[in-house]
């Protein structure tokens, strides 16, 4: 058998191996997809229940509100100024993605969203907002931040800094503060400015959209 035949034989063997591995991976994906999806749904449901005030009830996802959120985030920047997507700038959609919007019985909303600029990638969370636009709670559902630093975003100490906070009166103002908690800011995590900025900018975008929906009469 000459060199050319050997090369053809090796190529065929490689193709067969690739096909077999592909089939195995596809099978594993099909077997694990449903359990993973169910586990994530359970996590999200538990997070939604945690971020609302006691006695409030979380309702089904409002797909129309999710669609409206995507449009809003692509058309406004970090200072909440209206811009066109092709004009560039710091569009809110670069910092936050809203995946679900759940109305609550008391006129608030629970947002399931991703902060897109975390140190280790996206940070998924649930955010509760009451009828007056104040945060009722935040729960981190997934993150890959640095252990002992950004990963501390999951601690109660950090999450407890959010309830009662509203969108800044000056839209260009950052929502994190290195030293203290105010009505429109939360104290940043020590040694984790990137994580703090990622989460608060995502929260800021949600609060801007939440207020816009009320002003436009999209919901009570």
């Amino acid at each position: 058998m000459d060199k050319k035949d050997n090369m053809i034989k090796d190529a065929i063997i490689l193709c067969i191996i690739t096909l077999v591995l592909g089939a195995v991976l596809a099978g594993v994906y099909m077997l694990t997809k449903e359990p993973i999806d169910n586990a994530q749904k359970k996590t999200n449901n538990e997070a939604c229940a945690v971020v609302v005030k006691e006695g409030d009830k979380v309702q089904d996802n409002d797909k129309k509100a999710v669609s409206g959120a995507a449009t809003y985030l692509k058309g406004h920047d970090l200072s909440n100024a209206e811009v066109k997507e092709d004009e560039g700038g710091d569009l809110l959609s670069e910092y936050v993605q809203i995946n679900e919007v759940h109305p609550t019985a008391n006129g608030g909303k629970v947002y399931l969203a991703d902060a897109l600029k975390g140190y280790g990638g996206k940070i998924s969370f649930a955010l509760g907002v009451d009828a007056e636009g104040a945060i009722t709670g935040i729960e981190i559902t997934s993150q890959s931040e640095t252990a002992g630093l950004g990963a501390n975003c999951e601690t109660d100490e950090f999450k407890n800094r959010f309830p009662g906070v509203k969108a800044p009166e000056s839209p260009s103002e950052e929502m994190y503060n290195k030293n203290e908690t105010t009505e429109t800011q939360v104290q940043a995590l020590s040694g984790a400015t990137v994580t703090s900025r990622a989460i608060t900018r995502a929260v800021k975008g949600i609060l801007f959209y939440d207020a816009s929906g009320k002003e436009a009469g999209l919901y009570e």
Side-chain angles (χ1 to χ4, degrees):
M1 185 178 292
D2 60 24
K3 185 176 181 181
K4 183 178 179 180
D5 290 337
N6 282 331
M7 290 178 64
I8 293 173
K9 180 182 178 182
D10 291 344
I12 292 172
I13 293 172
L14 183 60
C15 286
I16 293 172
I17 292 173
T18 301
L19 289 171
V20 171
L21 288 176
V24 171
L25 290 173
V28 171
Y29 173 78
M30 294 301 295
L31 288 172
T32 59
K33 184 179 184 301
E34 186 174 354
I36 290 173
D37 288 346
N38 289 338
Q40 187 61 56
K41 185 175 181 180
K42 181 174 183 291
T43 298
N44 289 343
N45 289 339
E46 291 173 348
C48 287
V50 167
V51 300
V52 296
K53 292 181 179 179
E54 187 175 353
D56 203 355
K57 185 177 180 181
V58 180
Q59 300 173 356
D60 292 338
N61 179 39
D62 183 343
K63 294 182 179 179
K64 183 178 178 181
V66 175
S67 177
T71 300
Y72 186 88
L73 297 174
K74 289 178 181 177
H76 293 78
D77 65 15
L78 273 176
S79 65
N80 207 28
E82 190 171 354
V83 293
K84 294 181 180 179
E85 192 172 359
D86 58 4
E87 291 178 348
D90 289 326
L91 294 177
L92 288 170
S93 58
E94 297 176 9
Y95 294 89
V96 59
Q97 176 176 306
I98 295 175
N99 303 312
E100 295 183 22
V101 181
H102 294 263
T104 75
N106 291 341
K109 292 286 182 296
V110 173
Y111 294 88
L112 290 173
D114 297 325
L116 303 176
K117 298 278 189 176
Y119 188 83
K122 73 178 182 180
I123 302 168
S124 300
F125 63 95
L127 184 78
V129 183
D130 66 20
E132 284 71 48
I135 296 173
T136 54
I138 188 170
E139 187 72 14
I140 308 299
T141 58
S142 177
Q143 56 85 18
S144 302
E145 303 300 276
T146 305
L149 294 172
N152 287 336
C153 64
E154 290 197 51
T155 64
D156 289 339
E157 181 183 1
F158 181 65
K159 292 184 294 185
N160 288 341
R161 300 172 187 177
F162 284 83
V165 172
K166 296 184 176 182
E169 292 182 8
S170 174
S172 60
E173 179 184 85
E174 291 283 6
M175 283 192 68
Y176 70 96
N177 186 308
K178 292 184 179 181
N179 300 313
E180 60 183 14
T181 299
T182 69
E183 188 180 27
T184 60
Q185 292 181 313
V186 298
Q187 185 178 357
L189 285 165
S190 177
T193 300
V194 173
T195 303
S196 302
R197 182 170 58 227
I199 294 173
T200 54
R201 284 185 173 179
V203 167
K204 184 180 180 182
I206 292 172
L207 294 179
F208 284 156
Y209 170 66
D210 186 77
S212 76
K214 292 182 176 70
E215 291 171 4
L218 297 180
Y219 44 80
E220 295 293 332

